[in-house]
């Protein structure tokens, strides 16, 4: 395996990362040894040794019988360190609070990671719950306001999309590149994206790329139940979110001594 740098990857390290990512993806659904070995195409004996090492280190947890495996607490500690150590997230958080207070709606921040966006911060409305938006959740970038806002910052021939058909989260999700490209053209013209129940039925969203990097990798959005999305409320959301983006971008000039992390 070759990494982006051209350096040959370490097989055991790649296998460990693949295992942790698989367990994290499955969340509350624990996995058995044989299942993990088959899914990752790893010999059963090697998988057992790897799992026991990670259990001992706290990266993987197992049940009382030692037959079921899930992601461990060390993953949480590492993820929290990522959030606390990221300057962009620290700057954005207070403005999410401000926008949420002004609108009474749920406000998100997410980052593009390959073909997905990952939620980095969320301020939930007290009016409703939206479990898909929790911090750390991955959503296909083509399927919602945050992702489309970031995809629109790139050329259509340079979009980080998966091979094959696009995954549908609802009946309104784009499943063809042609329809997605047409939507992204509108995003570029308006300056923001619109999600009409593409990620969650009953929820609309408006996404705004944060252009403190080129191309943008972070975005913010406002989610609102379609049942109370009047034209007046939509206009108010767009006004507040534009203002929020401007405030955030004004606080994010290059900082001396701050690493420019490669994504």
């Amino acid at each position: 395996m070759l990494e982006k740098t051209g350096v040959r990857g370490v097989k055991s390290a790649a296998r460990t990362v693949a295992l942790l990512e698989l367990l994290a993806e499955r969340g509350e659904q624990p996995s058995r040894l044989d299942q993990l070995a088959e899914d990752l195409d790893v010999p059963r004996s090697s998988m057992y040794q790897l799992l026991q090492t990670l259990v001992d280190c706290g990266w993987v947890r197992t049940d009382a019988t030692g037959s079921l495996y899930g992601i461990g607490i060390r993953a949480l500690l590492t993820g929290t360190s990522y959030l606390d150590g990221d300057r962009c997230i620290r700057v954005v958080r207070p403005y999410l609070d401000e926008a949420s207070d002004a609108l009474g709606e749920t406000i998100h921040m997410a980052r593009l990671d390959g073909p997905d966006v990952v939620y980095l911060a969320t301020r939930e409305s007290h009016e409703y719950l939206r479990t898909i938006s929790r911090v750390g959740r991955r959503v296909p970038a083509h399927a919602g306001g945050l992702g489309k806002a970031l995809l629109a910052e790139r050329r259509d021939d340079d979009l980080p999309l998966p091979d094959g058909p696009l995954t549908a989260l609802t009946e309104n999700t784009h499943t063809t590149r042609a329809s997605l490209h047409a939507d992204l053209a509108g995003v570029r013209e308006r300056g923001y994206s619109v999600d009409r129940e593409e990620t969650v039925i009953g929820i609309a969203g408006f996404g705004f790329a944060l252009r403190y990097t080129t191309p943008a990798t972070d975005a913010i959005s406002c989610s609102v139940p379609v049942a109370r999305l009047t034209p007046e409320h939509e206009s108010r959301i767009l006004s507040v979110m534009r203002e929020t983006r401007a405030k955030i971008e004004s606080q994010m000039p290059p900082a001396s001594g701050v690493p420019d992390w490669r994504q």
Side-chain angles (χ1 to χ4, degrees):
M1 182 181 71
L2 296 179
E3 301 294 338
K4 295 178 182 179
T5 57
V7 177
R8 185 172 297 278
V10 178
K11 185 175 181 180
S12 59
R15 180 176 290 173
T16 300
V17 171
L19 172 59
L20 292 173
E21 289 183 342
L22 180 60
L23 291 174
E25 180 181 335
R26 290 178 176 171
E28 297 179 359
Q29 299 298 322
S31 299
R32 295 186 179 276
L33 170 62
D34 290 344
Q35 181 183 8
L36 293 169
E38 179 180 352
D39 290 345
L40 296 178
D41 193 23
V42 174
R44 188 179 187 280
S45 59
S46 298
M47 178 58 69
Y48 177 77
Q49 293 174 1
L50 177 56
L51 284 167
Q52 294 311 304
T53 299
L54 293 174
V55 167
D56 290 342
C57 295
W59 282 92
V60 171
R61 59 180 173 175
T62 188
D63 69 337
T65 68
S67 59
L68 296 175
Y69 298 92
I71 197 70
I73 196 169
R74 288 288 174 183
L76 171 62
L77 299 177
T78 300
T80 301
S81 177
Y82 177 87
L83 296 174
D84 292 343
D86 189 284
R87 174 173 174 256
C88 297
I89 301 173
R90 293 200 306 272
V91 169
V92 169
R93 279 172 173 160
Y95 295 105
L96 300 185
D97 293 332
E98 185 178 299
S100 184
D101 290 342
L103 294 170
E105 304 295 354
T106 298
I107 312 297
H108 312 288
M109 176 190 184
R111 179 164 294 164
L112 190 66
D113 182 36
D116 303 326
V117 291
V118 179
Y119 286 88
L120 301 178
T122 291
R123 298 297 180 263
E124 292 281 2
S125 166
H126 296 302
E127 300 294 329
Y128 70 100
L129 297 177
R130 189 186 185 210
T131 57
I132 197 171
S133 64
R134 73 168 183 251
V135 172
R137 178 64 63 88
R138 303 179 73 91
V139 174
H142 68 273
L146 288 160
K148 291 193 299 181
L150 292 168
L151 293 180
E153 298 291 301
R154 291 152 175 80
R155 301 189 313 272
D156 284 346
D157 62 357
D158 193 33
L159 300 179
L161 298 175
D163 296 331
L166 301 177
T167 301
L169 299 186
T170 75
E171 61 185 15
N172 301 312
T173 307
H174 292 293
T175 55
T176 69
R177 283 161 176 74
S179 65
L180 176 62
H181 291 169
D183 193 343
L184 295 181
V187 176
R188 296 178 187 115
E189 182 176 350
R190 290 190 305 268
Y192 63 91
S193 65
V194 180
D195 169 1
R196 303 285 185 187
E197 301 183 85
E198 297 171 32
T199 311
V200 177
I201 291 295
I203 300 294
F206 303 89
F208 295 76
L210 298 175
R211 294 166 178 152
Y212 44 67
T213 59
T214 304
T217 57
D218 295 346
I220 56 174
S221 73
C222 175
S223 295
V224 56
V226 295
R228 65 165 181 262
L229 185 60
T230 63
E232 294 76 18
H233 192 33
E234 180 170 333
S235 178
R236 171 67 173 158
I237 288 172
L238 296 176
S239 176
V240 169
M241 294 302 291
R242 285 193 185 100
E243 182 179 355
T244 300
R245 172 168 63 181
K247 289 179 179 178
I248 292 171
E249 291 177 347
S250 72
Q251 296 300 312
M252 289 298 297
S256 175
V258 175
D260 180 13
W261 297 105
R262 291 182 296 174
Q263 297 300 321

